[in-house]
């Protein structure tokens, strides 16, 4: 058995779904093959069926669509600053 591919990007798995769906592979078999390569927690059976339905309805993008709402305020600099503060506190304890 081959090694699992861990931490795959969502768009990578969606690309596999799109490819196999274009080859007329059934959603259940797509799910089985994805679990075999990416592991059981990569995507649910219902999400595979949902993406197959969307591709059959004409969707051709595998990336997430832009969403409205408040943008995230978390930046790499903020995460780094917080990590430094936590380290300082741990040092004092």
């Amino acid at each position: 058995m081959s090694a699992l591919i861990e931490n795959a990007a969502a768009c990578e798995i969606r690309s596999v779904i799109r490819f196999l769906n274009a080859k007329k592979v059934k959603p259940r078999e797509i799910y089985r093959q994805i679990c075999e390569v990416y592991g059981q927690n990569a995507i649910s059976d219902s999400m595979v069926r949902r993406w197959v339905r969307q591709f059959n309805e004409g969707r051709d993008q595998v990336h997430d669509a832009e969403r409205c709402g408040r943008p995230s305020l978390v930046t790499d600099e903020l995460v780094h600053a917080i990590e430094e503060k936590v380290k300082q506190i741990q040092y004092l304890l």
Side-chain angles (χ1 to χ4, degrees), residues 2-64:
S2 59
L4 288 178
I5 299 174
E6 295 182 18
N7 302 321
C11 62
E12 178 181 348
I13 294 174
R14 292 175 196 155
S15 295
V16 172
I17 294 169
R18 184 174 182 222
F19 173 80
L20 292 174
N21 183 56
K23 292 184 64 92
K24 304 297 184 202
V25 176
K26 301 269 187 223
R28 190 81 175 135
E29 177 61 16
I30 293 172
Y31 174 71
R32 188 195 66 74
Q33 289 186 35
I34 288 173
C35 287
E36 184 178 301
V37 175
Y38 295 99
Q40 292 290 326
N41 297 324
I43 193 169
S44 68
D45 181 48
S46 62
M47 285 303 293
V48 170
R49 286 184 272 124
R50 180 178 174 192
W51 279 102
V52 165
R53 186 171 46 254
Q54 287 185 26
F55 291 134
N56 288 340
E57 291 171 353
R59 182 174 178 145
D60 59 357
Q61 294 294 315
V62 295
H63 298 283
D64 289 325

